[in-house]
Amino acid sequence: MAIRKSKTPQSPTQRADQKRVDILKSAAKCFRKTGFHQTSMQEICTEVGLGPGAVYRYFTSKDAIIAAMAEDERRQARTMLTEFHDTDDLPQALSAITRAFAARYAAISDAGLMTEIYAEGLRNKRVGAVIKTAETEWVDGLAEMLSTAQERGQINPSLDAQQAALLLTAMWDGLVIRQAYTQALPAEMLELFDDMLKRWLSAASAPANLKRAKPAPAAAPSPVATPAPKAKPKAKPVEPEPELALALPVVDNMTPQVEMDLRQMSLI
Amino acid sequence: MAIRKSKTPQSPTQRADQKRVDILKSAAKCFRKTGFHQTSMQEICTEVGLGPGAVYRYFTSKDAIIAAMAEDERRQARTMLTEFHDTDDLPQALSAITRAFAARYAAISDAGLMTEIYAEGLRNKRVGAVIKTAETEWVDGLAEMLSTAQERGQINPSLDAQQAALLLTAMWDGLVIRQAYTQALPAEMLELFDDMLKRWLSAASAPANLKRAKPAPAAAPSPVATPAPKAKPKAKPVEPEPELALALPVVDNMTPQVEMDLRQMSLI
């Protein structure tokens, strides 16, 4: 079904923006149904009710459409961050963001499309480049939010805000996929997530505060209470298990040779 | 290039198993290069050096190949869990698992293929059913490991082990995608992840222990020290922001109607 146009008078720029949105929405509808490799540009034209010439004026290829989707998606998420920029309760802001992502990708077809876009970005250089830029902007924005919260004493000041923002983003990505496979995220899962974030980011368990606090009694030794960067008990590297494809030695910088060996060790 | 066969004598079962593995490896090679929708069964036959009849004896379709890959991948991961079953240091075991996943999917093409399989499982019922079963077995195994650690007093006994296993799996999934987009996980990220897990799962910050511990001084109020299930300050639902596609109200059980509205609110 073609998208119905509004009858309200629009400026040429508004009309162009609207057409762009219409094309993206129609393309997404096709992609959700059959995946983007099995969708042709002709099918997108039919869905949006425009001729190929009109569609190609906005997007010269399916890749360009996919890249635009990934970009718009992250830009919207980025806008959401600005809403929380002056929050005085970071855990609550993060909880709201978690719930916004959970709601945004509650439909399995949307979670599937987002996952497919991620997969495509890892093989297709053009799509990958756009996603990388959009992701960097998002992660930077999130890191800035975390830094501000650190300056205000809301969260652990010893955390690397940039790495923490990356890890948070990874958690949200994973949650979207998991949600799609378990049909819906139960309320307990969202609460567990909030609780995990509070424990992880808590300013109260940060070394600076703990130094001022009375040491915990010997009966309750606390890894949380251990000053993080210096005295943290670092996990020892685990010996490789030759019979297992997944139990591998600690490798921080993978060389091409190592990648090759891993690939041969496993089925895929 | 066809896979070279070993000259060592093999039983018929061994030969069959080996052929199955050869087909999966060759298919994965094709899929990594061009994606599985753009790979034909004929290309897989050529890659493995077998005729269509021989390949179809093992896998009747590409779907069956993809499903087998997802299943084998999780089975290998499950085997790894059994290695850690009697661990007396759960955080170290989880750290080793994190590093094993990071190493396994260090090659972008492998991370891309795994992500593509997840995406396919969300649209394709046959693939989805196999993935769901394999995932359930994996999560159950992980939950059992967490329960054992809880019984031994290694981690917070008040955590819901099943939900925590789901969340951990989501984190690892997300980490694999994130790693692929940032090229490699820096050592700091892996340490941050270990530290997050310690803080989250810590038995020392569990309500049972905290009740015995001396209360923290008023200068350092601690969300971590708050007894979790009862007195935990529950995040208030955030008001919806109508102008934002992602800032949505808290929805625990999405009805089809709500899904529809969300879809219309955003571009994809």
Short mmCIF file of all heavy atoms in Angstrom, two decimals, chain B residues 136-168:
data_model
loop_
_atom_site.label_atom_id
_atom_site.label_comp_id
_atom_site.label_asym_id
_atom_site.label_seq_id
_atom_site.Cartn_x
_atom_site.Cartn_y
_atom_site.Cartn_z
N THR B 136 18.12 -21.50 24.51
CA THR B 136 17.52 -21.88 25.79
C THR B 136 18.44 -22.83 26.55
O THR B 136 18.66 -22.68 27.75
CB THR B 136 16.14 -22.54 25.54
OG1 THR B 136 15.34 -21.62 24.81
CG2 THR B 136 15.44 -22.87 26.84
N GLU B 137 19.01 -23.81 25.81
CA GLU B 137 19.94 -24.75 26.46
C GLU B 137 21.15 -24.02 27.04
O GLU B 137 21.61 -24.30 28.13
CB GLU B 137 20.41 -25.80 25.45
CG GLU B 137 19.38 -26.88 25.22
CD GLU B 137 19.81 -27.82 24.10
OE1 GLU B 137 21.00 -27.84 23.72
OE2 GLU B 137 18.93 -28.53 23.59
N TRP B 138 21.67 -23.08 26.25
CA TRP B 138 22.84 -22.31 26.69
C TRP B 138 22.51 -21.49 27.94
O TRP B 138 23.25 -21.54 28.93
CB TRP B 138 23.32 -21.40 25.55
CG TRP B 138 24.10 -20.21 26.02
CD1 TRP B 138 23.63 -18.95 26.25
CD2 TRP B 138 25.50 -20.17 26.36
NE1 TRP B 138 24.62 -18.12 26.70
CE2 TRP B 138 25.79 -18.84 26.77
CE3 TRP B 138 26.53 -21.10 26.34
CZ2 TRP B 138 27.07 -18.44 27.17
CZ3 TRP B 138 27.81 -20.70 26.74
CH2 TRP B 138 28.07 -19.40 27.14
N VAL B 139 21.40 -20.78 27.89
CA VAL B 139 21.02 -19.91 29.02
C VAL B 139 20.76 -20.76 30.26
O VAL B 139 21.17 -20.40 31.37
CB VAL B 139 19.81 -19.01 28.66
CG1 VAL B 139 19.27 -18.28 29.89
CG2 VAL B 139 20.20 -17.99 27.59
N ASP B 140 20.11 -21.92 30.07
CA ASP B 140 19.86 -22.81 31.21
C ASP B 140 21.18 -23.27 31.84
O ASP B 140 21.32 -23.32 33.06
CB ASP B 140 19.05 -24.04 30.78
CG ASP B 140 17.58 -23.67 30.49
OD1 ASP B 140 17.20 -22.53 30.79
OD2 ASP B 140 16.86 -24.52 29.95
N GLY B 141 22.14 -23.62 30.99
CA GLY B 141 23.45 -24.07 31.47
C GLY B 141 24.15 -22.97 32.26
O GLY B 141 24.73 -23.22 33.33
N LEU B 142 24.06 -21.77 31.74
CA LEU B 142 24.69 -20.62 32.39
C LEU B 142 23.99 -20.32 33.72
O LEU B 142 24.64 -20.04 34.73
CB LEU B 142 24.63 -19.42 31.44
CG LEU B 142 25.40 -18.16 31.82
CD1 LEU B 142 26.88 -18.44 32.01
CD2 LEU B 142 25.22 -17.09 30.71
N ALA B 143 22.67 -20.41 33.71
CA ALA B 143 21.89 -20.15 34.93
C ALA B 143 22.26 -21.16 36.01
O ALA B 143 22.38 -20.82 37.19
CB ALA B 143 20.40 -20.22 34.61
N GLU B 144 22.48 -22.41 35.60
CA GLU B 144 22.85 -23.46 36.55
C GLU B 144 24.21 -23.14 37.19
O GLU B 144 24.41 -23.30 38.39
CB GLU B 144 22.93 -24.79 35.80
CG GLU B 144 22.77 -26.00 36.70
CD GLU B 144 23.08 -27.28 35.93
OE1 GLU B 144 22.47 -27.47 34.85
OE2 GLU B 144 23.93 -28.05 36.40
N MET B 145 25.12 -22.64 36.33
CA MET B 145 26.45 -22.26 36.82
C MET B 145 26.33 -21.12 37.84
O MET B 145 27.01 -21.13 38.87
CB MET B 145 27.27 -21.81 35.60
CG MET B 145 28.74 -21.61 35.84
SD MET B 145 29.52 -21.41 34.20
CE MET B 145 30.90 -20.38 34.68
N LEU B 146 25.47 -20.17 37.55
CA LEU B 146 25.27 -19.04 38.47
C LEU B 146 24.61 -19.52 39.77
O LEU B 146 25.00 -19.10 40.86
CB LEU B 146 24.40 -17.95 37.81
CG LEU B 146 25.00 -17.23 36.59
CD1 LEU B 146 23.99 -16.22 36.05
CD2 LEU B 146 26.30 -16.52 36.92
N SER B 147 23.64 -20.43 39.65
CA SER B 147 22.97 -20.96 40.85
C SER B 147 23.97 -21.67 41.76
O SER B 147 23.95 -21.49 42.98
CB SER B 147 21.89 -21.97 40.46
OG SER B 147 20.86 -21.34 39.79
N THR B 148 24.83 -22.48 41.14
CA THR B 148 25.85 -23.20 41.92
C THR B 148 26.74 -22.19 42.66
O THR B 148 27.03 -22.36 43.84
CB THR B 148 26.71 -24.09 40.98
OG1 THR B 148 25.82 -24.91 40.23
CG2 THR B 148 27.67 -24.95 41.76
N ALA B 149 27.14 -21.14 41.95
CA ALA B 149 27.99 -20.11 42.56
C ALA B 149 27.24 -19.42 43.70
O ALA B 149 27.85 -19.04 44.71
CB ALA B 149 28.45 -19.11 41.51
N GLN B 150 25.94 -19.27 43.54
CA GLN B 150 25.13 -18.65 44.61
C GLN B 150 25.10 -19.55 45.83
O GLN B 150 25.29 -19.09 46.96
CB GLN B 150 23.71 -18.39 44.12
CG GLN B 150 23.60 -17.20 43.17
CD GLN B 150 22.19 -16.97 42.68
OE1 GLN B 150 21.50 -17.92 42.29
NE2 GLN B 150 21.76 -15.72 42.65
N GLU B 151 24.89 -20.87 45.59
CA GLU B 151 24.85 -21.83 46.70
C GLU B 151 26.16 -21.84 47.47
O GLU B 151 26.19 -22.04 48.68
CB GLU B 151 24.54 -23.24 46.18
CG GLU B 151 23.08 -23.43 45.80
CD GLU B 151 22.89 -24.61 44.86
OE1 GLU B 151 23.79 -25.48 44.80
OE2 GLU B 151 21.86 -24.64 44.16
N ARG B 152 27.25 -21.63 46.74
CA ARG B 152 28.58 -21.65 47.37
C ARG B 152 28.96 -20.29 47.96
O ARG B 152 30.09 -20.09 48.39
CB ARG B 152 29.63 -22.07 46.34
CG ARG B 152 29.47 -23.52 45.91
CD ARG B 152 30.45 -23.89 44.82
NE ARG B 152 30.22 -25.24 44.35
CZ ARG B 152 30.82 -25.77 43.29
NH1 ARG B 152 31.69 -25.05 42.61
NH2 ARG B 152 30.56 -27.00 42.92
N GLY B 153 28.04 -19.35 47.89
CA GLY B 153 28.30 -18.03 48.48
C GLY B 153 29.27 -17.19 47.69
O GLY B 153 29.84 -16.23 48.20
N GLN B 154 29.49 -17.54 46.39
CA GLN B 154 30.44 -16.79 45.58
C GLN B 154 29.85 -15.50 45.03
O GLN B 154 30.56 -14.54 44.75
CB GLN B 154 30.94 -17.63 44.41
CG GLN B 154 31.80 -18.80 44.79
CD GLN B 154 32.18 -19.60 43.54
OE1 GLN B 154 32.43 -19.07 42.48
NE2 GLN B 154 32.21 -20.91 43.69
N ILE B 155 28.54 -15.53 44.76
CA ILE B 155 27.90 -14.34 44.20
C ILE B 155 26.59 -14.05 44.94
O ILE B 155 26.09 -14.90 45.68
CB ILE B 155 27.65 -14.46 42.67
CG1 ILE B 155 26.70 -15.64 42.37
CG2 ILE B 155 28.95 -14.58 41.90
CD1 ILE B 155 26.14 -15.60 40.96
N ASN B 156 26.09 -12.87 44.69
CA ASN B 156 24.86 -12.37 45.29
C ASN B 156 23.72 -13.41 45.23
O ASN B 156 23.24 -13.75 44.14
CB ASN B 156 24.46 -11.10 44.53
CG ASN B 156 23.22 -10.44 45.08
OD1 ASN B 156 22.50 -11.02 45.89
ND2 ASN B 156 22.98 -9.22 44.65
N PRO B 157 23.28 -13.92 46.38
CA PRO B 157 22.27 -14.99 46.35
C PRO B 157 20.87 -14.49 45.99
O PRO B 157 20.00 -15.30 45.68
CB PRO B 157 22.30 -15.52 47.79
CG PRO B 157 22.81 -14.39 48.61
CD PRO B 157 23.72 -13.59 47.74
N SER B 158 20.67 -13.17 46.00
CA SER B 158 19.32 -12.67 45.74
C SER B 158 19.04 -12.46 44.24
O SER B 158 17.93 -12.14 43.84
CB SER B 158 19.07 -11.37 46.50
OG SER B 158 19.82 -10.33 45.92
N LEU B 159 20.07 -12.65 43.40
CA LEU B 159 19.87 -12.50 41.95
C LEU B 159 19.01 -13.63 41.40
O LEU B 159 19.15 -14.78 41.83
CB LEU B 159 21.21 -12.57 41.23
CG LEU B 159 22.06 -11.32 41.10
CD1 LEU B 159 23.39 -11.68 40.43
CD2 LEU B 159 21.35 -10.25 40.29
N ASP B 160 18.16 -13.32 40.44
CA ASP B 160 17.43 -14.35 39.71
C ASP B 160 18.41 -14.93 38.68
O ASP B 160 18.76 -14.27 37.70
CB ASP B 160 16.21 -13.71 39.02
CG ASP B 160 15.40 -14.71 38.20
OD1 ASP B 160 16.00 -15.65 37.63
OD2 ASP B 160 14.19 -14.54 38.10
N ALA B 161 18.86 -16.17 38.94
CA ALA B 161 19.94 -16.74 38.11
C ALA B 161 19.54 -16.83 36.63
O ALA B 161 20.37 -16.60 35.74
CB ALA B 161 20.32 -18.12 38.64
N GLN B 162 18.28 -17.16 36.37
CA GLN B 162 17.83 -17.31 34.98
C GLN B 162 17.88 -15.96 34.24
O GLN B 162 18.40 -15.87 33.14
CB GLN B 162 16.40 -17.87 34.98
CG GLN B 162 15.96 -18.46 33.65
CD GLN B 162 16.61 -19.80 33.32
OE1 GLN B 162 17.07 -20.52 34.22
NE2 GLN B 162 16.68 -20.13 32.05
N GLN B 163 17.36 -14.93 34.89
CA GLN B 163 17.36 -13.60 34.27
C GLN B 163 18.79 -13.07 34.14
O GLN B 163 19.14 -12.43 33.15
CB GLN B 163 16.52 -12.61 35.10
CG GLN B 163 15.03 -12.92 35.12
CD GLN B 163 14.37 -12.76 33.76
OE1 GLN B 163 14.79 -11.94 32.95
NE2 GLN B 163 13.36 -13.55 33.49
N ALA B 164 19.60 -13.35 35.15
CA ALA B 164 21.00 -12.89 35.11
C ALA B 164 21.74 -13.58 33.97
O ALA B 164 22.56 -12.96 33.28
CB ALA B 164 21.68 -13.16 36.44
N ALA B 165 21.43 -14.87 33.73
CA ALA B 165 22.07 -15.61 32.63
C ALA B 165 21.66 -15.01 31.29
O ALA B 165 22.47 -14.87 30.37
CB ALA B 165 21.69 -17.08 32.70
N LEU B 166 20.39 -14.63 31.18
CA LEU B 166 19.90 -13.98 29.96
C LEU B 166 20.62 -12.66 29.73
O LEU B 166 21.06 -12.36 28.61
CB LEU B 166 18.40 -13.69 30.10
CG LEU B 166 17.41 -14.57 29.39
CD1 LEU B 166 16.00 -14.13 29.71
CD2 LEU B 166 17.62 -14.56 27.87
N LEU B 167 20.74 -11.88 30.80
CA LEU B 167 21.38 -10.57 30.68
C LEU B 167 22.85 -10.71 30.31
O LEU B 167 23.37 -9.98 29.45
CB LEU B 167 21.20 -9.77 31.97
CG LEU B 167 21.78 -8.36 32.02
CD1 LEU B 167 21.39 -7.53 30.80
CD2 LEU B 167 21.36 -7.63 33.29
N LEU B 168 23.53 -11.67 30.94
CA LEU B 168 24.93 -11.92 30.62
C LEU B 168 25.09 -12.28 29.14
O LEU B 168 26.00 -11.79 28.46
CB LEU B 168 25.43 -13.11 31.44
CG LEU B 168 26.38 -12.82 32.59
CD1 LEU B 168 26.62 -14.08 33.39
CD2 LEU B 168 27.71 -12.28 32.07
#
